[in-house]
Amino acid sequence: LGQNLGFLGTKKKLIECDLVIAARMHCAINAMAAHVPTLLLSYSQKAQGMCKYIYGHRDWVLPLKEFCSEQCLQTIRKMRDSQFDIQTYLAGRIPDVQCDAYKPLEFLKEIVE
């Protein structure tokens, strides 16, 4: 892109995608929050855990070093073939994730009051 689109500009671009392949966690989270099927490229355990948390499995995460591999191509094909199902799943899952994000704040509110 060559330009800094900012958070909202980037989100608009992500929404236009059929599939996002992300090595950066914030990009992956933004794409999944927009119900865009997202393949996480993992350079740490964080992506493994996020994939399991969001999708309920680790099928949509690969080590970054496997990006240029046949395994990656196969995974992308599977995701493209399941695109509608993944979008539908994310549309149902993301509200629960958003609710989970507020639980620590509710806990802190109870402590403070």
Side-chain angles (χ1 to χ4, degrees):
L1 294 173
Q3 56 191 355
N4 184 359
L5 301 175
F7 176 80
L8 293 177
T10 301
K11 186 91 164 188
K12 288 177 186 177
K13 291 292 183 187
L14 289 171
I15 290 169
E16 295 174 6
C17 296
D18 294 329
L19 172 75
V20 170
I21 302 169
R24 303 299 298 173
M25 187 59 64
H26 287 100
C27 177
I29 291 169
N30 280 329
M32 291 183 289
H35 313 153
V36 178
T38 303
L39 173 62
L40 292 93
L41 296 178
S42 171
Y43 57 86
S44 72
Q45 291 298 316
K46 183 169 48 173
Q48 298 280 337
M50 183 58 71
C51 187
K52 175 76 171 151
Y53 173 67
I54 297 293
Y55 291 118
H57 55 74
R58 291 189 173 96
D59 294 350
W60 308 139
V61 62
L62 291 173
L64 181 59
K65 65 184 178 185
E66 291 184 24
F67 179 60
C68 295
S69 70
E70 183 59 35
Q71 174 66 32
C72 186
L73 289 175
Q74 290 175 7
T75 302
I76 292 168
R77 286 185 195 110
K78 287 179 189 176
M79 291 187 85
R80 291 290 310 257
D81 290 345
S82 303
Q83 181 179 347
F84 179 77
D85 293 336
I86 296 170
Q87 289 170 329
T88 302
Y89 173 80
L90 289 171
R93 176 73 178 111
I94 293 305
D96 293 335
V97 171
Q98 291 169 331
C99 183
D100 286 350
Y102 287 104
K103 285 181 182 176
L105 294 174
E106 293 169 8
F107 177 73
L108 287 173
K109 183 179 176 184
E110 289 178 21
I111 292 173
V112 173
E113 291 181 343

